[in-house]
Amino acid sequence: MLLASLNPAAVARGAEIADAVDIDGVRLSRSDIVGGATSVAERVAGAERVAVLATPSPATVLAITGCLIAGVTAVPVPADVGAAERVHILKDSGARAWLGEKPDDTEGLPHIPVRLHARSWHRYPEPPGDSTALILYTSGTTGAPKGVPIRRDAIAADIDALAEAWQWTPEDKLVHGLPLYHVHGLVLGLLGSLRIGNRFVHTGRPTPEAYAVAAGTLYFGVPTVWSRIAADNSAAGALSGARLLVSGSAPLPVPVFERLSDLTGIRPIERYGATETLITISTRADGERRPGWVGLPLTGIETRLLDDDGSEVPHDGETIGRLEVRGPTVFDGYLNRPDATAEVLSPDGWYHTGDVAVIDADGMHRIVGRESVDLIKTGGFRVGAQEVETALLGHPGVREAAVVGVPDDDLGQRIVAYVVGDARPEELIDFVAQQLSAHKRPREVRIVDALPRNAMGKVLKKELAQWD
């Protein structure tokens, strides 16, 4: 059963928890969720797909959970999505109604409210494992967002593999303040907690203060969140009683990793994944947690690195290759996009991630970045932007750094660094040249007030590369 902790038999055996979910100032017990979500299931049963305005609220929790109980596909829609993108998501997904909170513009679809105090104890059979639980939409950095159908059995396999890697148990209390329309916040945070049976706290905004008072054992955050906590000695100290601090959705800068370790006594867990694959690689609770490295493939996951000719590259910790993954968490293809599916998914199940990486002799993975923007081919050399960024972040005058390759008549591409900080450009070029090979130094450093980022904190490098 996907939502294992909501199995009525589990609740009857004493799995009741008074504060199973704490969100938006409301605490829901295990039976609140079972009864409330089953009431939702009765109202949507028989529908194929419904849209859910994915705010961090009890209505969203019960809407998503009710869909999973009834076997209805939920389409989480960000509350702050633009009008054109919202219309695209609704039409592309085939959603027939809005469930839960009502958006300002329903686009002509009927609205089904969630009644927070309604309860039902009807029993529904477990839907097939290969049925679609969710349709999540990618960020749309290359055209309109693509719909990613996610199977129930893929979610279950991923959560179980992470539970094994992180020693995640019902005794944990998981805390985060991330959006409930992405894999990180929704699938891992909420659905993971409902499957494992641990307490779940959503802090609203992921501020250092909110994380500090939550008293969790397991925390999720994106690098921006961890950077802010690392800059707040009091908040970081309050997290020292936690068991794991998990970072994902973008690379965690090594200086942030090290400062968190120093302030909390906990070396962060880093992991890697995508909407199309869920989480596939992670460091382990009982294993090495190396700054800048995302760890080992989860149980059931295979990975490989390929060169430009399609040959596998050596696992020497240095040679960069295109990362591909295969396993039970990988999707079956984009919704309504066989052309896009064929570009990334091979007939034998290998997903072409679009990322480049290195693997060492022990199987540890380090993500270099996106092949399109983070693999820089300069003067006949292949340089990973992240390595240069890490070097720059080691300078006391650098708060943030992003490195891109821009066209160059002589070099093919030249390395350009955008830096938030107060160091002099010439000083930073020399600083990198002293740490890395000469061909990896930036040819140009531009000091900026801020880096462009998306809602998950990822730097928008394609936009950055167009800055003059």
Side-chain angles (χ1 to χ4, degrees):
M1 182 176 182
L2 174 56
L3 304 177
S5 74
L6 299 187
N7 186 316
V11 175
R13 287 196 304 268
E16 174 66 80
I17 299 178
D19 56 347
V21 170
D22 185 338
I23 187 167
D24 196 27
V26 175
R27 291 184 175 182
L28 299 172
S29 70
R30 193 73 69 203
S31 59
D32 287 335
I33 299 170
V34 173
T38 304
S39 175
V40 171
E42 289 190 342
R43 307 189 72 192
V44 299
E48 183 179 1
R49 295 169 186 167
V50 296
V52 177
L53 192 67
T55 60
S57 67
T60 297
V61 172
L62 295 180
I64 296 289
T65 309
C67 286
L68 293 174
I69 289 172
V72 173
T73 300
V75 183
V77 180
D80 60 352
V81 70
E85 191 168 313
R86 181 177 62 247
V87 169
H88 167 74
I89 290 173
L90 295 176
K91 289 184 176 179
D92 187 64
S93 68
R96 293 291 179 258
W98 285 98
L99 174 65
E101 294 190 32
K102 186 177 182 179
D104 294 334
D105 188 345
T106 63
E107 303 297 341
L109 295 180
H111 172 242
I112 305 170
V114 167
R115 297 168 180 166
L116 296 182
H117 300 291
R119 298 290 182 267
S120 171
W121 308 107
H122 181 77
R123 299 286 184 92
Y124 285 86
E126 177 72 6
D130 61 358
S131 61
T132 300
L134 304 167
I135 299 175
L136 300 184
Y137 277 79
T138 61
S139 57
T141 55
T142 55
K146 296 186 287 289
V148 180
I150 300 179
R151 302 183 314 276
R152 298 175 70 92
D153 57 10
I155 294 174
D158 203 50
I159 294 169
D160 290 350
L162 289 171
E164 189 262 333
W166 297 346
Q167 299 177 3
W168 183 1
T169 76
E171 302 305 312
D172 277 307
K173 181 179 181 182
L174 193 159
V175 177
H176 77 65
L178 304 173
L180 294 183
Y181 49 81
H182 285 308
V183 169
H184 198 164
L186 175 59
V187 177
L188 304 190
L190 177 60
L191 302 189
S193 296
L194 295 179
R195 181 168 179 81
I196 300 299
N198 59 272
R199 289 175 170 83
F200 170 68
V201 176
H202 194 287
T203 62
R205 295 179 61 241
T207 64
E209 296 79 11
Y211 274 42
V213 301
T217 64
L218 179 58
Y219 286 84
F220 289 172
V222 297
T224 301
V225 172
W226 294 122
S227 178
R228 291 170 181 169
I229 290 173
D232 186 326
N233 288 7
S234 176
L239 268 56
S240 61
R243 194 174 62 79
L244 293 180
L245 310 178
V246 180
S247 182
S249 298
L252 183 66
V254 171
V256 176
F257 182 108
E258 293 174 340
R259 182 160 177 79
L260 275 176
S261 300
D262 291 342
L263 292 175
T264 66
I266 304 166
R267 295 176 71 79
I269 289 282
E270 294 190 67
R271 88 298 185 280
Y272 168 82
T275 307
E276 293 87 345
T277 66
L278 305 182
I279 307 306
T280 51
I281 302 169
S282 180
T283 50
R284 298 177 58 89
D286 59 356
E288 180 185 7
R289 307 179 202 174
R290 189 187 308 170
W293 294 71
V294 295
L296 305 168
L298 296 177
T299 299
I301 299 296
E302 300 175 82
T303 65
R304 65 184 184 186
L305 294 183
L306 303 181
D307 62 18
D308 292 339
D309 298 325
S311 302
E312 292 202 40
V313 305
H315 293 183
D316 56 12
E318 295 289 339
T319 305
I320 298 173
R322 301 195 311 271
L323 178 63
E324 298 189 352
V325 302
R326 182 168 67 177
T329 66
V330 175
F331 79 146
D332 297 321
Y334 294 111
L335 186 67
N336 307 322
R337 291 292 303 275
D339 54 336
T341 299
E343 291 176 0
V344 300
L345 198 60
S346 70
D348 56 350
W350 286 101
Y351 173 68
H352 315 304
T353 66
D355 289 318
V356 286
V358 300
I359 303 176
D360 72 7
D362 296 322
M364 286 282 282
H365 292 56
R366 178 171 65 84
I367 306 301
V368 173
R370 297 297 291 171
E371 184 177 10
S372 58
V373 294
D374 290 311
L375 179 60
I376 303 171
K377 299 178 180 179
T378 179
F381 296 98
R382 293 158 64 94
V383 177
Q386 186 180 340
E387 184 179 15
V388 184
E389 291 163 358
T390 298
L392 285 165
L393 288 167
H395 190 284
V398 175
R399 294 192 296 276
E400 299 179 63
V403 170
V404 298
V406 301
D408 186 274
D409 291 339
D410 180 43
L411 298 170
Q413 288 181 303
R414 71 178 183 278
I415 301 172
V416 176
Y418 291 84
V419 168
V420 178
D422 54 12
R424 292 181 297 104
E426 299 79 8
E427 177 185 356
L428 294 178
I429 293 172
D430 290 342
F431 181 76
V432 174
Q434 291 170 13
Q435 298 180 72
L436 305 178
S437 301
H439 65 268
K440 296 180 180 180
R441 73 189 188 284
R443 300 297 177 128
E444 185 179 352
V445 172
R446 302 178 184 180
I447 306 298
V448 297
D449 293 331
L451 301 175
R453 297 180 183 272
N454 66 13
M456 294 300 290
K458 295 181 181 179
V459 175
L460 300 173
K461 288 198 172 182
K462 289 187 177 179
E463 178 179 329
L464 195 62
Q466 296 172 0
W467 286 10
D468 192 326

